[in-house]
Amino acid sequence: MDAELADRIAALEARVAALEGGQRTEPAASPGGLVGYHGELTDPLELSWAINVTPGPMLAFADGPRVEVLAALSSTARVALVRTLAEKGAQTAPALQEAAELGSPGQLYHHLKALTGAGIVEQDKRGSYRLRPAATIPVLVLLTAASDVAGQLKNLSVRPDRG
């Protein structure tokens, strides 16, 4: 049984026990404040994006869709594909296979399936692949945040504001 299913079953069992015992379950306290990100790109696409949300409602969203996005980015080959598309714009399958150093078209399509299924990559009318415009800045923010957590941003000349 996977961990997500086990967590869901445990939560349901706790709720049933509380209902059977006549106990009220209080909602967990949610963090206050504001979390946001923004970005502006000029090449290969012109995009501007800004999001600001309160953490409580965002944390209440179903985990499945966001885990699918994170899982789609949990491979060095997939991140290489995303990086190539972010740097160069739309690319053909052979160009992506070469850029990600994948040994076969089957490997490429396995990774593209995860990225397209998560809404990160799309195929254009010419058959090339590109980052979905609405996902481009959020995905770059995810990669930037992961780099920050991993300590990779500490050597940049532009330092993050740690307030």
Side-chain angles (χ1 to χ4, degrees):
M1 176 182 321
D2 70 9
E4 182 179 343
L5 181 57
D7 289 345
R8 290 177 66 194
I9 289 171
L12 285 172
E13 288 174 342
R15 290 175 65 190
V16 168
L19 289 172
E20 288 176 346
Q23 302 169 2
R24 286 193 48 177
T25 56
E26 296 296 322
S30 61
L34 187 67
V35 175
Y37 63 89
H38 71 275
E40 292 184 24
L41 300 174
T42 57
D43 189 36
L45 296 171
E46 276 197 38
L47 295 170
S48 181
W49 197 265
I51 295 288
N52 290 294
V53 297
T54 55
M58 181 274 303
L59 290 172
F61 293 155
D63 289 332
R66 61 178 151 216
V67 168
E68 184 179 0
V69 171
L70 294 171
L73 294 170
S74 68
S75 154
T76 54
R78 293 178 195 160
V79 171
L81 293 170
V82 168
R83 185 178 54 249
T84 299
L85 294 172
E87 291 173 344
K88 298 180 179 180
Q91 296 290 302
T92 64
L96 287 172
Q97 182 180 337
E98 181 180 332
E101 299 179 358
L102 297 171
S104 71
Q107 289 177 322
L108 172 67
Y109 290 112
H110 166 76
H111 293 301
L112 284 173
K113 182 178 179 183
L115 292 167
T116 57
I120 296 169
V121 171
E122 65 185 9
Q123 194 170 18
D124 66 20
K125 293 176 183 174
R126 296 181 312 266
S128 294
Y129 292 88
R130 67 180 185 171
L131 289 177
R132 193 170 61 85
T136 300
I137 291 174
V139 166
L140 292 175
V141 168
L142 284 171
L143 294 176
T144 302
S147 296
D148 188 17
V149 171
Q152 294 176 308
L153 298 182
K154 62 185 175 192
N155 295 324
L156 290 180
S157 59
V158 178
R159 303 278 300 157
D161 179 11
R162 302 258 188 228

